[in-house]
Amino acid sequence: MNAEIITIGDELMRGEIVDSNKARIAERLLLHDLDCRHQVSVLDDPADMRDAFLRASRRSDFVLVSGGLGPTRDDMTTEVLAETFGRKLELHPPSLAAIEAFFARIGREMADTNRKQAFFPEEADVLENPIGTAPGFSIEAARSGGREGEETRPGHAVFFAMPGVPRELDRMMDEQVIPRIGVRLAEFSGGREKQVVRAALLATFGMGESTLEAELGDLMRDGNVELGFRTSFPDNFLRPVARAATIEEADAKIAEAVTAIRERIGDVVYGEGTDTMESVVGRELANRGLTIATAESCTGGLIAERLTDVPGSSAYFLGGVVSYSNEAKIAMLGVPAAVIESEGAVSEASVRAMAEGVLERFGSDFGIATSGISGPGGGTPDKPVGLVWIALATADGETHAQSFVFEVDRSRHRRLTAQVALDWIRRSMIGAELIGPSLMRRGGSGSAP
């Protein structure tokens, strides 16, 4: 059996928002061994929507639709699905009561337009939405004859219509849609042996996708595990997927694959599952009872923002200084004026003084500092655009500093610099070498602690 994803909205087609819902849905389908054969996006246009629904009904067993369930005139998913498959719309009183109760809880009067969200195609299976005003629904659609040369599968297609708001979609998928798909798959198998699918997600930093492929390709050639690669700057993610007859066998294959990957590329792997670099750093700091303070110039507080984005960060983050100007570096961090005069703000001497100054002022175990030229202007032949110095000072009196030239745009330069800084903190705690991303580095230099 296969699945298809349809996302609806003018804002998706115009590029106003990133369509993350396809990835959210597809990831969940993968865990149920469902092939997502097609992914489609359409405008809020009835003709385009109807064409997408008909095509999906002919070629897919499960069709997961996201968006178009709101109260406004351009929210037409329910009406178009009903019309496409010859269903009348009927009021669902429990849904109307739930929507009215939602507005009562937040102290707002419900607009009359919200009533439309309680109407569904006849014989629809309504999907509750406890955190929003848009219930979803499911209907079965008999397949109609396809166009010449178009594949048509036998039987019925099952449509699941869900809201486009990601957090509402996630909850409806997990609590309403996936269990129903599981029942359908069990019925389809008819007691036949069914493969179990298990997957893991490993977050890596510092090694390019092609290098990862070269390093790991031979590990997955025995057919037991498939390995997928995904890049989300500045990280690369590895997705080993195992299929087996039992849960235990599939889990064992995944565990073996993860162990082999970690042994091959070592500390390049920094987390699993939903781990982020800042959450991993925060967990290590908290577990070890250590603290951190930040001194930022080119990153403008980005490192501090990421550290404090993790719940419980007050246990280890003592504070930070955004010393963007030379005067701030001198007054707030104690960088000698003579150093800035002779070496410049973007220099080893300055960034070392920044890291050591913030360490001393906050009394932390680590002091991390950044100073660079994020561009697009401000570079010189000696100090080109993209140059950045990073320094990590520790309470035992050691300071490590290194420079990189990251030839990327301003936004990615700042993000990459912050990621290297956070990775240095992680590496320092686990006793790994303080290195930078090999793919993005050019003309860098460094000094030992």
Side-chain angles (χ1 to χ4, degrees):
M1 302 187 80
N2 61 43
E4 180 163 345
I5 301 170
I6 302 175
T7 54
I8 298 171
D10 293 350
E11 66 278 7
L12 301 178
M13 303 299 287
R14 291 193 295 256
E16 294 174 2
I17 64 172
V18 176
D19 186 1
S20 63
N21 284 353
K22 287 196 183 80
R24 309 171 92 91
I25 297 170
E27 185 174 27
R28 287 167 167 81
L29 295 177
L30 171 64
L31 297 178
H32 287 74
D33 201 22
L34 268 175
D35 289 326
C36 183
R37 303 296 296 273
H38 302 278
Q39 295 187 3
V40 178
S41 294
V42 296
L43 291 166
D44 295 307
D45 178 85
D48 289 352
M49 293 166 66
R50 183 175 185 275
D51 181 68
F53 295 155
L54 286 173
R55 285 179 179 272
S57 72
R58 295 172 188 136
R59 65 193 179 193
S60 301
D61 300 294
F62 298 104
V63 184
L64 296 100
V65 182
S66 168
L69 299 184
T72 59
R73 284 179 295 176
D74 60 350
D75 293 310
M76 298 177 285
T77 297
T78 303
E79 293 91 332
V80 176
L81 261 176
E83 183 272 333
T84 300
F85 298 110
R87 309 287 183 91
K88 295 179 181 179
L89 289 177
E90 297 177 341
L91 176 67
H92 187 247
S95 292
L96 179 59
I99 296 171
E100 291 172 339
F102 176 88
F103 280 98
R105 286 197 305 273
I106 62 175
R108 286 177 51 196
E109 183 178 353
M110 188 185 85
D112 190 59
T113 54
N114 287 102
R115 284 181 54 86
K116 68 174 285 191
Q117 295 177 289
F119 282 81
F120 303 95
E122 57 185 346
E123 300 180 2
D125 181 11
V126 177
L127 311 176
E128 295 180 359
N129 181 358
I131 57 175
T133 64
F137 64 91
S138 172
I139 62 171
E140 284 194 32
R143 307 188 193 280
S144 58
R147 297 168 180 155
E148 185 176 351
E150 186 177 47
E151 177 188 357
T152 300
R153 297 171 68 84
H156 292 70
V158 182
F159 281 76
F160 293 94
M162 299 171 289
V165 179
R167 72 186 188 96
E168 297 178 23
L169 171 71
D170 288 347
R171 184 155 176 177
M172 191 172 290
M173 279 289 297
D174 293 338
E175 296 182 356
Q176 305 281 335
V177 176
I178 291 300
R180 286 169 168 81
I181 288 177
V183 171
R184 293 277 182 168
L185 291 174
E187 294 173 350
F188 176 77
S189 67
R192 298 188 300 272
E193 183 177 341
K194 179 181 180 295
Q195 279 193 322
V196 173
V197 181
R198 283 293 184 267
L201 184 66
L202 302 179
T204 76
F205 174 67
M207 188 176 287
E209 186 177 29
S210 59
T211 307
L212 287 170
E213 168 71 29
E215 290 284 342
L216 302 172
D218 65 299
L219 295 178
M220 308 301 163
R221 288 176 183 162
D222 59 1
N224 288 326
V225 179
E226 298 173 6
L227 183 61
F229 300 84
R230 175 170 63 87
T231 297
S232 179
F233 184 89
D235 293 333
N236 283 290
F237 294 91
L238 306 175
R239 170 77 79 178
V241 180
R243 291 175 170 83
T246 66
I247 293 175
E248 293 75 17
E249 184 181 352
D251 285 342
K253 288 182 179 180
I254 285 294
E256 182 180 355
V258 169
T259 298
I261 291 170
R262 285 185 174 276
E263 289 177 349
R264 184 68 61 86
I265 61 176
D267 300 316
V268 170
V269 178
Y270 72 79
E272 293 190 34
T274 59
D275 282 341
T276 61
M277 184 68 80
E278 52 267 32
S279 69
V280 171
V281 169
R283 186 165 61 237
E284 288 290 337
L285 287 167
N287 289 342
R288 298 167 188 266
L290 301 174
T291 57
I292 180 76
T294 59
E296 302 182 63
S297 185
C298 63
T299 47
L302 181 58
I303 301 171
E305 178 188 356
R306 290 180 58 180
L307 285 168
T308 56
D309 193 47
V310 181
S313 54
S314 59
Y316 49 82
F317 181 70
L318 300 187
V321 175
V322 180
S323 53
Y324 212 66
S325 69
N326 291 344
E327 292 75 16
K329 293 178 177 67
I330 295 169
M332 303 177 73
L333 296 171
V335 179
V339 167
I340 292 183
E341 179 67 25
S342 62
E343 304 291 334
V346 184
S347 65
E348 178 179 356
S350 290
V351 79
R352 277 177 170 269
M354 290 170 64
E356 292 165 359
V358 79
L359 181 88
E360 179 183 356
R361 280 155 176 74
F362 283 92
S364 57
D365 296 292
F366 293 105
I368 191 78
T370 62
S371 186
I373 306 169
S374 296
T380 67
D382 292 335
K383 295 183 179 181
V385 171
L387 172 67
V388 63
W389 275 95
I390 304 172
L392 178 66
T394 61
D396 59 11
E398 293 189 342
T399 301
H400 181 84
Q402 192 168 358
S403 71
F404 304 91
V405 177
F406 299 140
E407 295 178 322
V408 291
D409 61 78
R410 182 180 181 86
S411 176
R412 291 197 295 167
H413 186 273
R414 297 172 70 247
R415 288 163 55 197
L416 183 55
T417 300
Q419 189 79 342
V420 174
L422 290 168
D423 193 39
W424 274 16
I425 302 167
R426 175 186 73 95
R427 286 175 170 274
S428 181
M429 287 186 286
I430 63 176
E433 182 184 3
L434 303 189
I435 59 175
S438 59
L439 179 68
M440 304 299 299
R441 181 182 175 186
R442 178 183 69 80
S445 61
S447 61

